[in-house]
Every structure is written in C-alpha cells, then in structure tokens.
Amino acid sequence: MLTYPEFDPVAFTAFESLTLFGKTFGPLEVHWYGLMYLFGFAACWGLGMYRAGKPYYVVYRKQMDDLLFYVAMGVVLGARVGYVLFYQFPDLMADPLMLIRVWEGGMSFHGGLLGVITATLMYCRKHNQNFFDVIDFFAPFVPIALGLGRLGNFIGGELYGRATDVSWAMIFPKDPLQVARHPSQLYQLFFEGVVLFTILFLFSRKHRPRAAVCSLFVLCYGIVRFGVEFVRQPDAHINFDLFGWM
C-alpha cells in the first residue's frame, strides 16, 4: 500500500480578513481545485493560439479570447447548475441561494458538457460559424482540463476509488471508513487526460471530416469513463444506479 501524500487542498490564502462597507470578509482561501480550472483554461488558450489560423481550422487567433470566454462560462455555469439540478433539486427549492455557493462543492461533467454545447452554439451564432467545425477545433484540448481537474480531486482527497488490496492502494484522509482504496483520480488523470489528449491531438493534426474529432472524443471518453467507474467509489448521494453494482 502506498502512503497518500498529505496535500493541503488550500494553495494559498489571499487575505485573512477584509472589511468592506462595514462588513468583514475572509479569509479568502484559494484551493488547488480552483487553480486547476485556471491552469486548464490557460493551457487550452495556449494550444488554441498555436493551432488557430491553420488552413483547415475555422477559428483565428483574434477569436480565441472570445471563444475561451464562452467555453469557460459554459463549463463553470453548466457544471454547477447541472450538479444542483440533477442531484440537489429538493435542496435548491428550499434554498435557491445554494446555487451560487460554489465553495460548498458540486460540479458535474454532464452539466458542464451541456453548458459548453450551449455556449458554443451562442458563439457560432455570433460569428456565423458551423457548430461542429468549432467543436472539432477545441475538442483535442478538453482532455487537458479534464486531467487537471482529476489532479485537483486527488490533491483534495476526494472522489477516490473503491476498497481494494492492490499494492498501490491508498488511504484517503476524508474517507470515513479509512480503508485502502484505488487512487481512481490518478487513473482518470492518465486515461482521460494524457491518453485521450494524445489520441485526439495526433488525430486532429490532419484535416478530418466534419465532426470526426469531436465524435472520437465522445467515443473515447465514454469508454474510459465507463471503465474507471467500476473502480471508483460512487458518490454517496447517487450510489449505484443499476443492479446494485453499476
């Protein structure tokens, strides 16, 4: 069994307290998970700038800032709204302000996906571009953000795997049972991040038929996510969806 590194999920504290308009706020803690979003967006912007303007891409460098803004808003708002609507709807009805209390946690991939689709449609309408051409452009960059998000989960000691006796198992501090578990966040970092990025980036180096790149992303991500879920501990509020084991 490996020893889980004792990470501090808080990267740094911006200020201990701040008084504005007679009210005191703080401390403002910046978590590694939040920074991973920032690093992911920065990496996507950098790769986008590198590829923008190539003969078979419809996005130009002068459009990258606009595209990144739309996608970032789609990811963050979609992931948060999706999580609350899918998993905490009764709580939302009782306390609508919980929607904006993002520091309490709760982001969903499928909500983020729907948010990105919506934001991209808005971007395409503004710039009069084909939806699938734009999706094909930035789909190869998405695994970077996914992988960094899983790294943030690992640093935070959350979304860990199921109990196991493999030699690389770890005991996570937040686990109430304190048993050895799969470090499934690292599995997802490798497969959703490194492997999927490599496949998509190499595949998209040549001109491909419309929607081929984003279709490959959906296919590969579905396979990877489906596989890893069998060693990941289900969220307590979801548990197993089918047959008591899936």
Side-chain angles (χ1 to χ4, degrees), residues 35-45 68 141 144-145 148:
L35 288 177
M36 292 304 162
Y37 271 81
L38 180 62
F39 296 156
F41 291 141
C44 290
W45 180 85
L68 182 64
F141 314 145
I144 299 177
L148 288 171

Side-chain angles (χ1 to χ4, degrees), residues 214-225:
C214 63
S215 297
L216 183 62
F217 166 80
V218 172
L219 175 65
C220 292
Y221 181 81
I223 292 172
V224 169
R225 184 66 185 265

Side-chain angles (χ1 to χ4, degrees), residues 92-164:
L92 176 65
M93 293 295 96
D95 180 17
L97 290 179
M98 70 170 296
L99 184 65
I100 63 175
R101 294 201 294 269
V102 295
W103 56 88
E104 294 180 355
M107 307 284 275
S108 70
F109 169 82
H110 35 293
L113 178 62
L114 292 174
V116 167
I117 291 174
T118 303
T120 305
L121 287 170
M122 295 170 61
Y123 169 87
C124 291
R125 183 176 180 180
K126 176 181 178 182
H127 291 275
N128 194 29
Q129 293 177 333
N130 181 274
F131 171 77
F132 288 105
D133 287 343
V134 176
I135 289 287
D136 281 342
F137 172 76
F138 71 74
F141 314 145
V142 175
I144 299 177
L146 292 175
L148 288 171
R150 297 308 176 190
L151 179 59
N153 293 145
F154 182 73
I155 293 175
E158 59 193 8
L159 303 185
Y160 39 71
R162 303 185 194 182
T164 182

Side-chain angles (χ1 to χ4, degrees), residues 49-62:
M49 291 293 288
Y50 168 73
R51 280 200 165 179
K54 302 290 185 182
Y56 43 86
Y57 292 126
V58 300
V59 178
Y60 295 91
R61 288 190 173 185
K62 63 182 180 180

